[in-house]
Amino acid sequence: MIAFIRSIDAGSIARKTASIAMIAATLSLFAASPLLALDIKRMTLSNGAVLLVSEEHQLPMVTLSIAFDAGARRDPKGKEGLAELTARCLSQGTKQLTSTEFDQKVDFMGSSVGVNAGRDYASAGMTTLKKYQGDTLKLLAGILVEPGLRDADIERKRAEQVAQIKAEEEQPGYTAEVAFTQELFGDSPYGHLDAGSAESAGKLTIDDVRNFYRDYYKLGSAVIAVAGDVTADEIKTSLEKELAGLSGAVSPQPEPAALNVALGLHLKLIDRSVQQANIIMGFGGVARSNPDYYRLQVMNYILGGGGFASRLMQVVRSKGGLAYSIGSGFEPGKFPGSFTVSLQTKNQSSNQAIDLILKQLREIQEKPVSDAELDGARKFLIGSFPLKIDKQSGIASFMLQVELYGLGLDYAEKYPKLIEAITKEDVQRAAKEYLHPGSVIVVAVANQNEAKINSANLEKQVSSPAASQ
């Protein structure tokens, strides 16, 4: 929920590219307009939770989001998928209301109430008309303070999670993502996908879920964001009353050891009977708190994050004709995440595509980007920024990020200045420091008989690029 610079598989890249094109078409609407200056009120509840409120009285609606320190990075070893299963189960009613009764009450008001878990945090939230604010908040508080967590519901949600994982395992892009994640992160908190594996999720017990809820759904370490037709004092009073039962705080999680991919090529080939090879290549990235985050945003937009404007798209897709879509991205989080380039290409094109990508990684390190590339990246990133906060849900999510990553309450105003200040020299320095084409993980899920990936040649390209020319 917190990543800005991200691309995972070729499918998501295609969707992202379409989204980028749509956003680009609207940039002129924002270019002449001042950015929104959110008036955010920050306070602390008596139980320790931080509350951020943005009063928006144009519409009689309220959106509330709570970030608990209960994301998938908290999954114990061998119990991967527990954070996600716990979040799914919490939405299944209260001690007084069955899942069906709970859903009927929410639907009657036209509200939405739910709990989801991401990699870093679990998020509970609601959206409602102003006139149902009190009743909807009681329902949200009900599943957080006195959740049902009935045996039958937990077993049913566990079966659903396992079935979903098994269905996704049929997708080569998913298989590549799992393999890359395990290769890069190993046993660290980010070393598995949020849902876990079919094996780990299938072993989760009813007590596992109840214990995870008991240990991590504590308001003392939570952040609450509220946007809409409320006043700060009004919502603070309501939250103090309705969430009084969620006491205590979660101890901070130790930061994992630094990600170090050894020099050379780390090639993982997975054989599948597919027409298109799914390739993910990359290395360790940065945490969201990294001060070079803005330089990386600009550099990545030019390299592979900018859809049809990016170098990778132009070289691999437009000139090479090797892929329908390709993209790159950092995935920053509470801890350092990954940098990946992802694409689908014909099995027979795998060697050529990987080779072109490695050359592009080196080229952006060795030569300054052009004035036009820099100008285009800055305009897009600044111009598209207001779209992140053009809805109540976007404002609530934005405020959570501001607090969780210490961005400052004036972040909406200072972001354009941070991006505008990036120079060509900044971009090149970021590329040299954070791109590692000499220490790269390459995962290829392909028909290996057709792909015939030449590991010896790739090893030369990675370790001694001049010798492979």
Side-chain angles (χ1 to χ4, degrees):
M1 88 182 177
I2 312 291
F4 279 127
I5 331 173
R6 182 169 189 254
S7 62
I8 292 299
D9 56 34
S12 69
I13 290 169
R15 292 190 292 275
K16 182 181 177 185
T17 299
S19 176
I20 287 173
M22 181 184 72
I23 292 171
T26 65
L27 289 187
S28 60
L29 299 176
F30 293 95
S33 302
L35 288 175
L36 291 174
L38 293 178
D39 180 14
I40 302 175
K41 296 180 174 62
R42 184 185 187 279
M43 57 199 81
T44 304
L45 302 186
S46 59
N47 51 27
V50 173
L51 172 63
L52 303 172
V53 181
S54 175
E55 298 183 18
E56 306 288 341
H57 299 287
Q58 294 88 344
L59 294 174
M61 295 181 63
V62 177
T63 296
L64 184 152
S65 294
I66 307 174
F68 291 96
D69 191 353
R73 61 179 164 80
R74 292 285 190 178
D75 286 343
K77 186 171 177 54
K79 297 184 183 296
E80 294 82 5
L82 179 55
E84 178 158 325
L85 178 59
T86 303
R88 292 183 184 211
C89 293
L90 285 174
S91 301
Q92 300 304 299
T94 69
K95 290 191 183 304
Q96 292 75 35
L97 297 172
T98 65
S99 175
T100 301
E101 291 168 340
F102 180 84
D103 290 342
Q104 287 173 340
K105 285 184 175 292
V106 172
D107 291 345
F108 176 78
M109 295 182 288
S111 304
S112 64
V113 177
V115 185
N116 296 287
R119 185 180 63 173
D120 279 331
Y121 298 95
S123 175
M126 67 177 218
T127 295
T128 182
L129 291 171
K130 173 67 177 178
K131 64 180 180 180
Y132 294 127
Q133 175 189 324
D135 291 333
T136 306
L137 180 57
K138 286 182 183 296
L139 289 172
L140 175 64
I143 60 174
L144 293 176
V145 179
E146 293 188 315
L149 294 181
R150 296 173 177 83
D151 292 2
D153 289 333
I154 295 174
E155 290 171 350
R156 175 168 50 82
K157 300 308 288 186
R158 179 182 59 203
E160 290 177 4
Q161 186 165 322
V162 171
Q164 183 178 340
I165 294 170
K166 288 183 176 178
E168 291 178 339
E169 286 175 343
E170 299 298 318
Q171 304 301 316
Y174 179 87
T175 300
E177 186 179 354
V178 170
F180 180 86
T181 300
Q182 292 175 342
E183 187 74 18
L184 177 62
F185 295 106
D187 290 333
S188 79
Y190 290 169
H192 63 282
L193 302 194
D194 296 349
S197 66
E199 180 182 5
S200 66
K203 293 179 180 176
L204 298 175
T205 68
I206 292 168
D207 283 344
D208 287 335
V209 171
R210 290 172 177 158
N211 291 339
F212 192 91
Y213 159 73
R214 182 200 61 208
D215 292 341
Y216 294 113
Y217 280 79
K218 296 182 176 181
L219 213 58
S221 47
V223 177
I224 307 173
V226 185
D229 192 9
V230 296
T231 65
D233 291 339
E234 167 200 354
I235 194 65
K236 181 174 185 291
T237 300
S238 297
L239 290 168
E240 294 270 21
K241 176 183 176 184
E242 300 298 342
L243 299 177
L246 280 180
S247 61
V250 180
S251 299
Q253 187 176 22
E255 185 162 345
L259 293 171
N260 288 312
V261 178
L263 283 173
L265 172 69
H266 304 267
L267 183 62
K268 188 172 183 61
L269 304 179
I270 300 173
D271 192 29
R272 284 282 184 89
S273 178
V274 293
Q275 298 294 319
Q276 295 273 316
N278 280 259
I279 298 172
I280 299 178
M281 49 196 296
F283 27 79
V286 298
R288 179 58 183 88
S289 57
N290 190 307
D292 285 335
Y293 174 80
Y294 308 98
R295 297 176 184 176
L296 292 172
Q297 268 202 309
V298 175
M299 185 273 290
N300 182 63
Y301 182 90
I302 295 169
L303 174 65
F308 288 103
S310 75
R311 292 185 177 188
L312 288 175
M313 188 68 89
Q314 291 174 13
V315 171
V316 178
R317 182 187 191 276
S318 301
K319 295 180 181 177
L322 301 178
Y324 175 74
S325 63
I326 180 171
S328 68
F330 287 89
E331 191 175 12
K334 182 176 178 62
F335 304 134
S338 62
F339 168 84
T340 57
V341 177
S342 305
L343 78 156
Q344 289 181 1
T345 186
K346 288 189 297 184
N347 290 312
Q348 296 85 347
S349 305
S350 297
N351 284 299
Q352 189 179 357
I354 295 171
D355 185 69
L356 285 176
I357 293 166
L358 290 170
K359 287 176 178 172
Q360 287 303 308
L361 295 179
R362 294 193 187 280
E363 184 171 314
I364 201 169
Q365 291 181 316
E366 295 165 357
K367 299 178 183 177
V369 299
S370 70
D371 291 335
E373 287 177 315
L374 179 63
D375 187 53
R378 292 190 303 203
K379 281 184 177 177
F380 177 85
L381 293 170
I382 294 171
S384 61
F385 187 74
L387 298 178
K388 300 180 187 299
I389 49 177
D390 67 343
K391 298 176 183 176
Q392 278 189 8
S393 57
I395 293 172
S397 177
F398 176 82
M399 288 192 291
L400 289 182
Q401 295 176 41
V402 163
E403 181 64 27
L404 293 171
Y405 298 117
L407 306 180
L409 297 183
D410 61 344
Y411 183 66
E413 296 173 71
K414 70 182 181 184
Y415 176 83
K417 299 173 185 174
L418 291 168
I419 296 297
E420 189 63 39
I422 304 300
T423 66
K424 290 192 289 185
E425 291 74 21
D426 290 331
V427 171
Q428 191 171 10
R429 278 197 295 270
K432 287 182 176 179
E433 185 170 355
Y434 296 103
L435 298 181
H436 308 292
S439 304
V440 63
I441 298 168
V442 178
V443 175
V445 180
N447 183 325
Q448 302 297 344
N449 284 332
E450 294 180 358
K452 293 182 172 56
I453 292 177
N454 189 329
S455 59
N457 187 60
L458 288 179
E459 186 72 59
K460 288 181 183 178
Q461 171 71 344
V462 168
S463 59
S464 181
S468 66
Q469 299 297 316

